[in-house]
Amino acid sequence: QVQLVESGGGLVQPGGSLRLSCAASESIFSFIGMGWYRQAPGKERELVAQIASGGSANVVDSVKGRFTISRDNAKNTVYLQMNNLNPEDTAVYYCKALKLTNKRYLEVWGQGTLVTVSS
């Protein structure tokens, strides 16, 4: 069973940076794509950034210019580099992988890592 483990969250001051990691239990090439989502208190979970198996990547407009998604194929890990953080970025950040298996799409989620931006 595929597992995703996020790490790197924590408390950071406004303007600071964090790098989140999402380590997969199998080769990330087995996934159609991977993404980072976040859920702030009282809000729905939203997409932040995604990267396809071919390497194409994008981030949503609200974090463009501040967040970058990347991957290390050898480590089966996807990263989310977050710069110039502001309090509105406070949320639990989740990693998701999409896999096609037995002709069915399978979504795999990590347990989440909390990011708190506060002075």
Side-chain angles (χ1 to χ4, degrees):
Q1 185 174 357
V2 179
Q3 290 186 326
L4 303 174
V5 179
E6 300 104 330
S7 61
L11 174 64
V12 63
Q13 292 186 341
S17 298
L18 282 176
R19 189 178 78 157
L20 306 182
S21 300
C22 173
S25 59
E26 63 183 61
S27 172
I28 59 176
F29 286 118
S30 69
F31 306 133
I32 296 171
M34 298 183 71
W36 284 98
Y37 291 71
R38 66 185 180 186
Q39 187 166 17
K43 294 187 177 181
E44 294 187 354
R45 193 172 298 188
E46 63 176 2
L47 174 68
V48 176
Q50 56 189 353
I51 185 165
S53 58
S56 61
N58 63 278
V59 299
V60 298
D61 287 345
S62 61
V63 305
K64 195 163 291 184
R66 300 188 299 122
F67 290 14
T68 303
I69 187 171
S70 63
R71 69 187 187 192
D72 185 329
N73 301 329
K75 295 182 178 180
N76 295 325
T77 300
V78 172
Y79 302 99
L80 184 68
Q81 177 67 45
M82 306 186 295
N83 299 326
N84 193 21
L85 286 160
N86 59 62
E88 290 70 38
D89 297 316
T90 294
V92 178
Y93 284 71
Y94 297 91
C95 179
K96 189 190 88 170
L98 182 64
K99 183 174 182 178
L100 182 63
T101 181
N102 296 326
K103 300 181 180 180
R104 297 177 64 181
Y105 289 103
L106 173 68
E107 286 188 352
V108 182
W109 290 89
Q111 82 287 352
T113 185
L114 177 62
V115 172
T116 303
V117 184
S118 175
S119 56

